RNA sequence: GCCGGGGUAGGGUAGAGGUUAUCCUGUGGCCCUGUGGAGGCUACGAUCCGAGUUCGAUUCUCGGUCCCGGCCCCA
C-alpha cells in the first residue's frame, strides 16, 4: 500500500524548494528594509478566533478539529486574525506604529484548482496603531515594492469603502451588505434588480452606477460630486499624493467592496495575468479588528500576498551556488574527509558515500551537475595540493585549498 | 457543494477483451581500481481502488478516489 499526500497539498522537490526559499528571501529583504519585523504565530488556533472575525459560516472551509481536551481548534486559514490576537495578548504597549510581517502556511478546506490549494503560503504585512494617510500609503507602496522585487507585474487597484458606505447610508445594514457583494462581483443586472426591489431612489441608483463605472487615476473630483467632501476623502487624497511620491502606479476603483464590516476605509487589490481563474495576488486595506479580540480602538492596515500564485508567475531563478565533488581513493579517503570539512566552511561539497571507484565518482559528479571535481589522490597529497577539474570545460589545474576556495568563489 | 476532462514503472509514453503489457528516460551494478558525459550487458520498476458484465477485464459499465480545469466561495 502506498500512502499519497493529502488532497490539495504539494510536495516541493529540491529544485522547487530552492527556488521558493530564494524568492521568499527576496521578499523578506524588501520588508525588512522597510523596517518590518517577522513574527511567527501558531499553526493552529482556537476556532473562536476565526468565527469571531468572519462568522460561523467559515467553519465549512476550515480544517477544524476537537483536541483531546475537547477544545474546538482549527488550522489557521489566514494570519490577520492571529496577528491581531497576538497583538492583544502581548504587544499592546509596544511603540506605535508596530510594523510586523509574516510568511506562513495556511489551510483551507476548499476545492483545489489552479492557484488554489488546501495548504498554501501567505506573505503578509500588518501595520498596527496608525490610521494616518501615510500609513495607508506605505502599506500599498510596500506591497508594490515586494511584487516588483520578484518581477511580478500586476494591476494595482485602490478604493475606499467610505465612499460607497456614504452613498448607501440610507439603506438597511443587511441591504448594504447585499449591495456591496453585488458591486464587488460586478453583477450589475442583479444589483439593479435589488435596488428596485428595496425602492431605492433614482438619484442613489444613478450615483451608484456612475461610481462603480468610474475608472482611472484622476476620478476623485467626480466622486466628490456624488458624496460631497466627506472627511475620509481628504485623508484618502493625501494617501494618493504620498503614493505618487513613492512612484506607485495604480488606478482607483470604488467598486472594490469587501463586504466584511471591519474594513473601514482604504482597500486595495493587485491582479496579475497568467493565473487562470485565481488572478488576485494581493489584497489588503485598513481595518478595525482589535476591539473584536478584546483590545482597544486601534486602527491597522495590512495586506496578504498569495505566495503560491507569485511562484506561478515569478520569473526569478535560483542562482545555484557552485558545487564541488571530492573524488578520492580508498587510500586517500580519510584525508579527503578532512579536506571536505575545511572546504565546507566556504562551499557546498559532496563526498563519496557509496565506496565507488574513481571513475564512478567522477561520473556521479557529472550526474549531479557539479561545477567542479576536486581530485584527492596520492599524487596531489604528495605535492600538498589538489586537482581542480572544471566539469564543464574539462580543464584541470593543481591548486592549494586556498586557491580552490578563491577560484571557485569568484567564478 | 456542483460541472467537465483525465489516471499504464520515479518522469514521459504505446497498446490491446486472451500466453511474458511496449518503448524512451531514470536509478543501482558491471564491462572500466587516476579521469565523467557515448556504448554494451544487467538489475529495479507500472495498468488508481472497489464492485459489476465475462470462461477471462488493465481495456467495457458503475461507484469511489486522486489529478487538471471551471463554477460557488475567497477571510
Amino acid at each position: 500500500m502506498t500512502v499519497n499526500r493529502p488532497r490539495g497539498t504539494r510536495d516541493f522537490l529540491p529544485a522547487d524548494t530552492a527556488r521558493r526559499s530564494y524568492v521568499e528571501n527576496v521578499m523578506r529583504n524588501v520588508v525588512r528594509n522597510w523596517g518590518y519585523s517577522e513574527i511567527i504565530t501558531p499553526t493552529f488556533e482556537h476556532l473562536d478566533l476565526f468565527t469571531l472575525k468572519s462568522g460561523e459560516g467559515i467553519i465549512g472551509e476550515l480544517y477544524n478539529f476537537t483536541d483531546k481536551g475537547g477544545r474546538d481548534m482549527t488550522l489557521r486559514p489566514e494570519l490577520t486574525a492571529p496577528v491581531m490576537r497576538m497583538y492583544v495578548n502581548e504587544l499592546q504597549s509596544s511603540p506605535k506604529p508596530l510594523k510586523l510581517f509574516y510568511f506562513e502556511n495556511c489551510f483551507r478546506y476548499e476545492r483545489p484548482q489552479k492557484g488554489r490549494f488546501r495548504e498554501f503560503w501567505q506573505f503578509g504585512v500588518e501595520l498596527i496603531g496608525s490610521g494616518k494617510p501615510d500609513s495607508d500609503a506605505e502599506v500599498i507602496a510596500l506591497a508594490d515594492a515586494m511584487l516588483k522585487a520578484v518581477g511580478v507585474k500586476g494591476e494595482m487597484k485602490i478604493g475606499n469603502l467610505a465612499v460607497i458606505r456614504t452613498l448607501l447610508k440610507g439603506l438597511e445594514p443587511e441591504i448594504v451588505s447585499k449591495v456591496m457583494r453585488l458591486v464587488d462581483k460586478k453583477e450589475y443586472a442583479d444589483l439593479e434588480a435589488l435596488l428596485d426591489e428595496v425602492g431605492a431612489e433614482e438619484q442613489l441608483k444613478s450615483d451608484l452606477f456612475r461610481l462603480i463605472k468610474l475608472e482611472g487615476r484622476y476620478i476623485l473630483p467626480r466622486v466628490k460630486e456624488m458624496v460631497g467632501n466627506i472627511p475620509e476623502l481628504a485623508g484618502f487624497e493625501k494617501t494618493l499624493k504620498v503614493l505618487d511620491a513613492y512612484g506607485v502606479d495604480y488606478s482607483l476603483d470604488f467598486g472594490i467592496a469587501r463586504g466584511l464590516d471591519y474594513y473601514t476605509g482604504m482597500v486595495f487589490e493587485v491582479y496579475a495575468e497568467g493565473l487562470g481563474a485565481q488572478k488576485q495576488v494581493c489584497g489588503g486595506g485598513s481595518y478595525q479588528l482589535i476591539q473584536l479580540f478584546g483590545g482597544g480602538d486601534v486602527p491597522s492596515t495590512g495586506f496578504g500576498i498569495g505566495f503560491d500564485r507569485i511562484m506561478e508567475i515569478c520569473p526569478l531563478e535560483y542562482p545555484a551556488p557552485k558545487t564541488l565533488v571530492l573524488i578520492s581513493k580508498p587510500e586517500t579517503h580519510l584525508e579527503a574527509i578532512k579536506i571536505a570539512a575545511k572546504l565546507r566552511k566556504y562551499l557546498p561539497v559532496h563526498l563519496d558515500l557509496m565506496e565507488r571507484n574513481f571513475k564512478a565518482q567522477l561520473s556521479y559528479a557529472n550526474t549531479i551537475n557539479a561545477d567542479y571535481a576536486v581530485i584527492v589522490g596520492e599524487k596531489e597529497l604528495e605535492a600538498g595540493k589538489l586537482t581542480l577539474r572544471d566539469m564543464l570545460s574539462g580543464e584541470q589545474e593543481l591548486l592549494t585549498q586556498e586557491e580552490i576556495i578563491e577560484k571557485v568563489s569568484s567564478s
Side-chain angles (χ1 to χ4, degrees), chain A residues 374-394:
Chain A
V374 175
I375 298 167
V376 186
E378 292 104 325
K379 285 184 236 166
E380 284 80 5
L381 293 181
E382 274 167 33
K385 295 193 174 184
L386 300 165
T387 298
L388 181 71
R389 178 180 180 84
D390 183 321
M391 290 299 288
L392 201 63
S393 67

Side-chain angles (χ1 to χ4, degrees), chain A residues 293-311:
Chain A
F293 299 144
D297 182 8
V298 183
S300 308
T301 304
F303 65 82
I305 287 178
F307 186 72
D308 304 283
R309 294 178 189 173
I310 296 297
M311 290 309 296

Side-chain angles (χ1 to χ4, degrees), chain A residues 362-380:
Chain A
L362 200 54
S363 178
Y364 171 72
N366 180 61
T367 305
I368 65 165
N369 264 315
D371 298 281
Y372 296 95
V374 175
I375 298 167
V376 186
E378 292 104 325
K379 285 184 236 166
E380 284 80 5

Side-chain angles (χ1 to χ4, degrees), chain A residues 48-69:
Chain A
D48 295 347
L49 179 63
F50 300 102
T51 52
L52 210 54
K53 176 178 177 235
S54 312
E56 297 288 325
I58 55 158
I59 293 179
E61 287 155 48
L62 294 179
Y63 266 98
N64 61 319
F65 58 97
T66 306
D67 75 7
K68 291 179 181 178

Side-chain angles (χ1 to χ4, degrees), chain A residues 240-305:
Chain A
L240 298 181
K241 276 195 186 131
V242 177
L243 279 179
D244 290 338
Y246 271 119
V248 174
D249 195 21
Y250 60 85
S251 65
L252 297 181
D253 181 349
F254 291 92
I256 301 177
R258 315 195 130 194
L260 292 153
D261 293 338
Y262 52 81
Y263 282 101
T264 51
M266 185 278 291
V267 285
F268 72 102
E269 295 175 343
V270 181
Y271 293 88
E273 290 303 317
L275 285 169
Q278 313 297 328
K279 286 193 169 84
Q280 192 180 330
V281 293
C282 175
S286 52
Y287 56 86
Q288 289 276 7
L289 266 175
I290 289 169
Q291 273 178 315
L292 197 58
F293 299 144
D297 182 8
V298 183
S300 308
T301 304
F303 65 82
I305 287 178

